[in-house]
Amino acid sequence: MASLQRILGDELADSPGLVRAADPTTKAATSAPTEGPALYAGIRNLEVPSDPVARLWHSATMLREHRGDGRIAALVGARIGGTEAHVLSALEQGIHPPESFGRIHHLPKERLAAVKDGMRERGLIDTDGHFTDAGRATKQRIETLTDELATPPYDALSPAELDELTTELEPITAPLVATGSR
């Protein structure tokens, strides 16, 4: 939280726009069903802070975890394990060989080879470790389902509220992006 306030600076952290962004973000974050998304449900049980910066951070965390829970459901539904998900992400980002990807490069070479062998057997990657059409389609289905599962919180917002939220978040996200935050 202190890092966020430092990056935003006093002027932006105390701005009316931040308060206006925190309100619909909190409305969305507290409106999704809690059946299924375990991490989201757990965080949603925490008290929502009253301080606008803390409330925006907390609400964004809830929305991120809600999306993350949907991602896990999409991966499980596609029968993609954790290491396989990182291989697919590496390939999507153009990282080849995928085992050089920062999230998995430290794993034992034997484990990575076994994961890639399994992905080859399932037709997700070719003998050179690149996407096959089936692998690319699988990755796209996962992305599409993740996006679909992430929408329920935003259904609580009217189109005008969504537009206002987007407008109010732009100046808040700019300094975060400039510092390398994602």
Side-chain angles (χ1 to χ4, degrees):
M1 179 58 72
S3 295
L4 177 62
Q5 289 185 320
R6 180 183 45 75
I7 292 168
L8 293 178
D10 290 340
E11 185 176 329
L12 194 52
D14 294 333
S15 71
L18 188 133
V19 173
R20 285 192 299 271
D23 291 340
T25 303
T26 302
K27 181 178 178 181
T30 58
S31 296
T34 55
E35 297 81 21
L39 288 174
Y40 166 74
I43 294 172
R44 181 138 159 227
N45 281 323
L46 299 174
E47 184 176 336
V48 176
S50 59
D51 173 74
V53 174
R55 187 161 39 100
L56 181 61
W57 178 263
H58 179 75
S59 297
T61 297
M62 281 192 284
L63 291 169
R64 183 189 70 241
E65 293 304 338
H66 183 273
R67 181 177 181 79
D69 286 338
R71 164 78 77 203
I72 291 168
L75 289 165
V76 168
R79 296 181 350 173
I80 299 294
T83 305
E84 291 173 322
H86 290 306
V87 169
L88 293 178
S89 290
L91 293 173
E92 183 178 49
Q93 294 175 48
I95 299 170
H96 195 272
E99 57 268 24
S100 66
F101 185 41
R103 294 185 180 166
I104 58 174
H105 77 279
H106 64 283
L107 297 175
K109 294 189 185 321
E110 301 80 26
R111 177 174 172 196
L112 291 170
V115 166
K116 286 176 59 180
D117 287 345
M119 294 176 78
R120 273 189 210 91
E121 290 170 13
R122 291 171 46 209
L124 301 172
I125 61 174
D126 63 21
T127 56
D128 293 325
H130 290 96
F131 267 131
T132 60
D133 290 341
R136 197 171 284 107
T138 297
K139 178 67 170 154
Q140 187 54 55
R141 280 192 308 277
I142 292 165
E143 295 302 321
T144 299
L145 183 54
T146 298
D147 289 345
E148 289 172 11
L149 293 172
T151 61
Y154 303 98
D155 292 342
L157 303 179
S158 70
E161 288 172 312
L162 280 170
D163 288 343
E164 180 181 14
L165 177 58
T166 301
T167 300
E168 298 299 347
L169 285 176
E170 285 177 9
I172 296 166
T173 58
L176 296 170
V177 170
T179 63
S181 299
R182 297 206 267 151

